[in-house]
Amino acid sequence: MDTNISRIIIRKATQKDSVAVQRIYDNIHTEEENGRATIGWIRGIYPDARTIKDALERQDLFVAETDGKIIGTVIFNQLQVDSYKDAPWQYDALDSEIMVMHTLVIDPSEKGRGLGKEVAKFYEQYALDNGCHYLRIDTNEKNSTARSFYKKLGYKEIGIKGCTFNGIKGVNLVLLEKKI
């Protein structure tokens, strides 16, 4: 495993980054379709071009780049999905104190280099910089890789809720939380 990370830059995405973000989404969909990843996303449903467009309009889409190449993408905001309502959160925080990370994707060709950990570190600092001490994340129950990753970073699974998630029916959504 190559853990030598060139200088990684995480920044808000611009319209010109759309093609690179779509490429990353396409790559992760291909990995899933070929059985090399189990995330629970479906090409043409989520994440897709609409995901990019909406996040750019909200100005909460970020990209991670190294050596001038965009190698990851993520959304940070305070939007809690409907499945978060009535969840058994361990912290009774105000919405204004909560930051949510959505749709973290590192290009599959870059996996194993610690880039996801760098993005997660950035997320925590971004949350603090925006006055948020409570972090929330969700992932599909099938996504054992993400579940293990978040556990190593100190996130606690607080429950699993069945739902239709971004147009994908029958998802068991794992809800995770961390206080920083």
Side-chain angles (χ1 to χ4, degrees):
M1 169 172 51
D2 177 12
T3 56
N4 181 16
I5 301 174
S6 299
R7 187 170 185 281
I8 186 169
I9 297 168
I10 302 166
R11 60 173 174 77
K12 281 198 176 186
T14 65
Q15 185 64 44
K16 69 179 182 160
D17 298 319
S18 296
V19 171
V21 173
Q22 186 63 58
R23 175 186 47 80
I24 292 169
Y25 289 170
D26 288 342
N27 290 349
I28 201 66
H29 286 305
T30 298
E31 290 295 295
E32 182 139 24
E33 291 161 358
N34 291 328
R36 293 185 297 265
T38 305
I39 297 158
W41 292 341
I42 300 173
R43 187 185 306 270
I45 299 179
Y46 184 82
D48 62 2
R50 169 58 84 187
T51 308
I52 298 166
K53 180 181 180 298
D54 290 348
L56 282 170
E57 286 176 4
R58 290 189 310 264
Q59 299 182 2
D60 57 14
L61 181 66
F62 288 75
V63 292
E65 64 180 300
T66 185
D67 299 325
K69 179 183 177 192
I70 294 175
I71 49 80
T73 183
V74 65
I75 297 169
F76 303 134
N77 59 37
Q78 294 183 283
L79 302 176
Q80 299 182 71
V81 297
D82 289 344
S83 297
Y84 286 24
K85 291 179 182 149
D86 302 319
W89 299 108
Q90 59 185 350
Y91 303 109
D92 186 24
L94 299 172
D95 288 350
S96 62
E97 300 173 309
I98 298 166
M99 186 67 64
V100 184
M101 180 166 64
H102 311 268
T103 323
L104 169 60
V105 189
I106 301 299
D107 192 304
S109 67
E110 302 289 338
K111 70 181 180 181
R113 296 182 54 209
L115 298 165
K117 188 183 286 187
E118 291 297 314
V119 172
K121 215 166 41 172
F122 180 90
Y123 166 53
E124 293 185 8
Q125 188 59 55
Y126 180 80
L128 288 172
D129 291 348
N130 285 277
C132 298
H133 292 270
Y134 303 93
L135 307 177
R136 292 185 179 165
I137 302 172
D138 58 72
T139 192
N140 193 307
E141 182 181 38
K142 299 176 191 181
N143 193 342
S144 59
T145 301
R147 292 175 77 183
S148 174
F149 173 70
Y150 294 132
K151 183 177 181 179
K152 287 177 187 172
L153 296 177
Y155 290 84
K156 181 179 179 187
E157 292 187 7
I158 60 94
I160 299 175
K161 291 186 84 173
C163 65
T164 297
F165 182 76
N166 289 312
I168 303 171
K169 295 180 181 180
V171 172
N172 287 323
L173 198 63
V174 178
L175 305 177
L176 301 105
E177 184 176 36
K178 180 177 179 178
K179 181 180 179 185
I180 53 173

